[in-house]
Every structure is written in structure tokens, then in C-alpha cells.
Amino acid sequence: MGNPKTPPSPAYILGVGLTKFTKPRGKIDYTELGFEAGVKALLDARLNYDDVDQGIACYCYGDSTCGQRVFYQFGMTQIPIVNVNNNCSTGSTGLAMAREKVAYGAAECVMVVGFEKMSAGSLRSAWGDRVSPTGTTVEMMREVRGLTAAPGAAQMFGNAGREYMEKYGAETRDFAEIARVNHAHSAKNPYSQFRDVYTLDQILSSPMLHEPLTKLQCCPTSDGGAATIVVSEAFLAARPHLRSQAILIAGQCLATDAASLFNRSSISLMGFDMSQYAAKTALEEARVSAKDVQVCELHDCFSANEMITLDALGLCEPGKAHEMVRQGDITYGGRCVVNPSGGLISKGHPLGATGIAQCAELCWQLRGWADNRLVKGAKVALQHNLGLGGAVIVTVYKRADGRSNEHYASGSDVGYNPAVEARGFTKEQVERVRSRTSRSEWALGDTEKKVEARF
């Protein structure tokens, strides 16, 4: 949210829901992904769709008003619904918009649903008859480092990794270690696209895409959905039995690039400066420092981006991210557990859902629900979601009751612990969350049956 002139009122994450992230095969439509995630979020929040004031849909690949197509499945209550596309930061952009609406009195309860049905292979533009929004970034890369046959994103982030090596002494093994850690973390996340564990040598010996990045250091394209419910203090106060599960958005900043983007630095070209600014702003609003952060979900689309982002967020001393990695300070037992979900590298990266999935993981961590991967004693969590072009959102979370995750939050209406089990829901549960006042079976169609069939 940058630097608002008026301090925001508190806003809370009350419910979250996820689908499994899967390899794009064209078998699951976005309507199913959005519906599954939304039902789970409403059950988690213990709400009915009639409680929702506004809806925000987050996706990059799809026609206009895909959001309405998804939301109408829950109810046709005539609430405002907007569709958001902000590259890879789309999900967190929707989250920031929801927080702003709640914090400044435009809504009491906002539902955010992110979904993406992607094509296999590396990212590519859908429009060949107009200039690319990242064209100036690519041209700067061409001028400074040249172009290769590797996927464009791998070149851009790989070049940032090369510059970090040249300036600060990082080595290829340091980038591979980041990927090794993320793959190891993902083994305990039931929603991850990949759950295989690799040795450092296996990661180093996987096919080289653009030095220092090998294939196992790059995130895949994915299909997936995620949803969250953002509510006001007044809304939560009217439901005191839900306070222990509510997660406070203690600080948040949505920022865009500075002019330094084009200063001929490959690190700056990947949004380092806006990440640094957003982190500083969000941490200041939350009245904490980076040293207080015990668990972090950051945008590791490539291991090189995790390296430079550790630095940008202030989780290490400037130029010392590789030393943090070498010392084991990005995993359990170290300084800060980074990407306990497995991160984008292993969990997957369905663009519109990614930022909301990061939010879900941190909510489960702070509630104490992530039993099999819990960062014990955590009170402060940090989220970083980046999109070239560009935008970044950094969010700081704390529990509404002020406790650490050693105090287990009360359960949700999902019927199991969604942090450690990727399961479905019953027809009765769907009936519980769909609008009681204005629903359409025509709008729902066969989506519910398709979703339930996968379970």
C-alpha cells in the first residue's frame, strides 16, 4: 500500500484455501480451481458467501471477467467483483487491494480468489502484435549481457545471479543449495507440484539452462487455485470465537520500480530496489525489523532470485546472502526458515494463485497448524511476491491474539487439518458456504461434480 497518508484500520486474514498445484495438462479448468479454493477458504473462515461484500479475482491467462464466472458459482449476490492481472505478483496484488478496501472502510469482508490454467513450457506472451511491457527490460539485458537461446526469464534472473557472484563472491553451489533446501521443504507440503528430494550434486548436474541456473533451480509452470478471506476489526469483533485463527496484516507495501531499474545492473533489472523499498516500508508499518522475522515465503521463481531477495529484504547483511545460505540460515535450525512450503521452485507457480498460496502457508505457520513443517515459536512472518514489469508486494503477518504459534489456534470447518492434508469437501459443506439468498445452479453447472470426482 506504499505510504498511506491516513493510518489503516486493522485487516485480518480469516480464512485460506488451496488446491494442489499440478503440471499443466489441460484437464482441470479454472472454474474448478477457483471453486475448490474458494469453498475451502469459506469453510476455513466459517462463513457463508452472503457474508462477502466484495470479490477480487486474480489471474494472468484468461479472458476478461473470468472472475465473475468463478464467483457466480458461490452466489449471484450483486457484489462488486474485479479482475486483477499484475504478472507474477497478481495474487498478492489482489490481497493488497482487499486489505486496502477493508482498512479504509469500503468493505467489511472481501474474498480473494486466485487461479491459473497455464500452458506447458516456459512463459511466453499471448500477444504478438504489440510491444511487450517488459520489452525495455529485455533490451537492457541484451545491451548489458547479450541474449542466448535460453528461456528469457532464466536469462534475466540468471544474469542477476552472475552479477551477485561477480560482486560478492557467491558460487554456483550456493544457488544449487537454495534449490536443494526448497525441494527438501516441499516433501512435507501436500499441495506441492513436486515433492522429490535431491542432493546438491543432483541439482548441479541437472541440465544447465543459463549459468548458474540448472533445471532444478527453476520453477515450473503450474495449474492451481488459492483463496483468502480478508475482514475488518468490526467484522472480527462480532465473531470473537474466530479471533484465535485470524492473522493480522501488520504491515504491507505494494511498490513498483524505481528509475534505477535501468542503471545497467542485472540485479536492479530484476526489481531489487522495489523489493528493498517495499520490505522497508512494510516492516516499518508493522513496527518490527527483518531480524524479528522467523519464517518467510519469498518469490523464488529461480534460485538466483531468492539469493538477491534475501539481501533486498534485509534478512542478511548486504552482499552476504550466499553466506547465509552456506551457514544453513535459510532452513530449520537456522536464522530464518525461508519457503517452508517448498517455494515456487518446488511447490509450483500458477501465477494468479502464487501470492495467495504464500499467504496461506504463513497463516498455517502462525496458527500452529503446519505440524509437519512448523517453524516453532514464530510470531512474525514475511511474504514477498514479485512480478516483472513490474510490481512487488511485501506483507508482514502476526496473529490477531498476539501469541506465537506455540499456542495452537482453534480449528476450521474444513473437517481436517488443511495445512498437512490436501483433501476435499462434502456436498453438505458446499451447501453450507454457497449463498443462501441468491444462488444459481445454472452458474454452478457441473463444476461441483467435477471437483468432487477428483477427491
Side-chain angles (χ1 to χ4, degrees):
M1 285 168 42
N3 281 309
K5 295 180 179 179
T6 305
S9 299
Y12 303 90
I13 305 296
L14 190 56
V16 294
L18 280 184
T19 72
K20 285 186 176 181
F21 288 2
T22 61
K23 184 177 180 178
R25 291 190 175 93
K27 295 182 178 180
I28 305 174
D29 216 333
Y30 73 92
T31 50
E32 301 166 56
L33 297 168
F35 184 74
E36 179 184 343
V39 168
K40 289 178 176 178
L42 287 165
L43 287 170
D44 186 40
R46 297 188 245 185
L47 299 177
N48 180 272
Y49 186 69
D50 291 335
D51 295 312
V52 176
D53 297 330
Q54 296 193 31
I56 299 174
C58 306
Y59 60 96
C60 293
Y61 295 101
D63 290 326
S64 181
T65 69
C66 283
Q68 281 86 331
R69 180 70 176 83
V70 168
F71 275 88
Y72 285 177
Q73 297 174 123
F74 305 111
M76 300 184 72
T77 55
Q78 298 189 295
I79 63 171
I81 298 169
V82 296
N83 297 273
V84 178
N85 179 347
N86 217 15
N87 211 343
C88 299
S89 65
T90 293
S92 286
T93 300
L95 177 62
M97 292 172 63
R99 190 241 183 160
E100 192 167 57
K101 289 175 181 294
V102 166
Y104 293 101
E108 295 291 328
C109 178
V110 181
M111 184 172 177
V112 186
V113 182
F115 48 84
E116 211 69 75
K117 181 179 180 180
M118 301 186 72
S119 299
S122 58
L123 297 181
R124 53 189 178 274
S125 175
W127 310 102
D129 62 345
R130 64 205 70 183
V131 297
S132 167
T134 57
T136 49
T137 299
V138 173
E139 285 305 309
M140 178 58 71
M141 177 182 72
R142 182 202 303 270
E143 187 168 312
V144 175
R145 296 269 177 174
L147 290 179
T148 72
Q155 290 184 63
M156 289 189 283
F157 285 102
N159 288 338
R162 291 181 183 184
E163 183 175 314
Y164 208 86
M165 295 168 71
E166 294 160 2
K167 291 180 68 173
Y168 303 119
E171 299 177 357
T172 56
R173 295 179 67 86
D174 300 322
F175 297 93
E177 174 63 9
I178 287 173
R180 187 199 68 78
V181 169
N182 285 332
H183 283 292
H185 288 176
S186 74
K188 295 184 177 180
N189 182 358
Y191 299 92
S192 286
Q193 183 168 339
F194 300 124
R195 301 183 70 185
D196 296 322
V197 176
Y198 299 95
T199 65
L200 187 63
D201 287 342
Q202 286 176 315
I203 290 169
L204 284 166
S205 62
S206 64
M208 179 65 70
L209 294 187
H210 187 79
E211 193 173 355
L213 300 175
T214 62
K215 184 177 181 179
L216 290 175
Q217 299 177 55
C218 308
C219 72
T221 50
S222 315
D223 288 351
T228 187
I229 310 295
V230 183
V231 302
S232 68
E233 173 62 42
F235 189 97
L236 186 59
R239 299 161 179 82
H241 59 292
L242 300 178
R243 186 167 290 273
S244 69
Q245 76 179 60
I247 303 300
L248 172 68
I249 300 175
Q252 189 174 63
C253 178
L254 191 164
T256 54
D257 289 298
S260 56
L261 179 73
F262 299 126
N263 67 4
R264 304 184 68 82
S265 161
S266 295
I267 292 175
S268 294
L269 199 61
M270 295 299 96
F272 180 93
D273 296 337
M274 67 174 172
S275 290
Q276 189 175 56
Y277 170 80
K280 180 177 181 292
T281 305
L283 289 165
E284 285 180 355
E285 184 189 355
R287 298 182 180 180
V288 296
S289 73
K291 294 180 180 178
D292 297 311
V293 175
Q294 297 132 307
V295 58
C296 174
E297 285 280 315
L298 64 76
H299 198 91
D300 62 316
C301 47
F302 299 88
S303 61
N305 199 47
E306 179 164 332
M307 183 74 78
I308 67 173
T309 301
L310 291 171
D311 199 322
L313 299 181
L315 294 175
C316 64
E317 293 298 316
K320 303 292 186 183
H322 57 295
E323 295 183 12
M324 183 180 183
V325 173
R326 291 172 188 174
Q327 293 163 4
D329 280 337
I330 60 171
T331 190
Y332 296 86
R335 150 77 185 84
C336 174
V337 179
V338 178
N339 292 331
S341 69
L344 283 61
I345 285 176
S346 199
K347 178 180 61 184
H349 186 24
L351 275 59
T354 288
I356 305 170
Q358 291 177 318
C359 169
E361 174 66 25
L362 295 177
C363 287
W364 288 332
Q365 287 286 341
L366 291 177
R367 289 178 183 174
W369 291 11
D371 301 335
N372 63 345
R373 58 187 186 279
L374 191 68
V375 181
K376 295 181 180 178
K379 292 183 70 174
V380 178
L382 184 69
Q383 177 191 354
H384 166 270
N385 188 199
L386 174 80
L388 295 184
V392 66
I393 300 89
V394 173
T395 307
V396 181
Y397 299 100
K398 300 177 184 178
R399 273 173 59 147
D401 60 12
R403 293 179 162 186
S404 74
N405 64 7
E406 293 171 311
H407 299 271
Y408 194 87
S410 59
S412 71
D413 282 355
V414 179
Y416 56 90
N417 182 352
V420 297
E421 294 184 82
R423 289 164 53 187
F425 39 72
T426 66
K427 187 172 182 62
E428 184 277 329
Q429 288 176 313
V430 173
E431 287 296 304
R432 195 186 312 165
V433 300
R434 290 184 72 213
S435 172
R436 300 187 185 98
T437 62
S438 184
R439 63 168 65 176
S440 168
E441 300 311 313
W442 184 266
L444 179 61
D446 61 355
T447 297
E448 181 183 349
K449 293 179 181 178
K450 287 181 177 179
V451 172
E452 290 176 352
R454 296 205 312 275
F455 301 148

